[in-house]
Amino acid sequence: MTLYGRIGVTPEVVLMGIMAGCVFYAPPRPDPYNEALRDALGQLQQGQVLFNAPSEMTPGREECVAVRISRSLTEDITAGLKRYGATGRDRLLGDAFMIRVSPFMTVNVSGSAFSIAPLTPADQFLEDGQFTEWPYNVTPLYSGKHPLILTIGI
């Protein structure tokens, strides 16, 4: 026997129906919080982020790692990075990549194999027309390949 329920069928009723050999169908209810979050994210503008870190580091030697975020897709957010200790060694400069940005962003760099000291607050305001930067002093604690994790929040 197959019964089709309507919206409002509780998990207990479905369980009892399954135990009795019945199958209930209840379409999922729209989640108002997910819809509100989707709408809010859709209203955010596109920006760019750059994570500048050495591709190789020496244990015990402090390096400066910088994260830059801009609300503009055309701004050169690589300008002036050498002032943060970029040496002749290869750095993970690459191209900036696009992300959705808000006027207020949170950035965090972490990694269990590193001692990491932020030089600015994690929460910062992004001004129009210029990038915002989060510099960190990062010291590797161990030899080997270890991830440096970038977390960005809106």
Side-chain angles (χ1 to χ4, degrees), residues 53-119:
S55 59
E56 291 184 16
M57 299 173 83
T58 304
R61 181 176 174 195
E62 184 177 89
E63 296 273 358
C64 190
V65 169
V67 178
R68 290 181 174 180
I69 300 177
S70 174
R71 294 173 69 181
S72 166
L73 291 174
T74 59
E75 182 179 7
D76 178 14
I77 64 175
T78 65
L81 280 174
K82 288 187 180 180
R83 66 187 167 109
Y84 287 107
T87 63
R89 292 185 299 159
D90 185 29
R91 295 185 67 83
L92 297 176
L93 190 55
D95 292 327
F97 56 92
M98 288 184 4
I99 61 168
R100 292 193 186 269
V101 296
S102 69
F104 191 76
M105 303 285 289
T106 300
V107 171
N108 203 349
V109 173
S110 61
S112 61
F114 301 91
S115 170
I116 301 172
L119 302 177

Side-chain angles (χ1 to χ4, degrees), residues 29-40:
R29 294 182 189 170
D31 184 348
Y33 297 110
N34 283 340
E35 288 180 15
L37 180 60
R38 218 174 286 119
D39 290 344

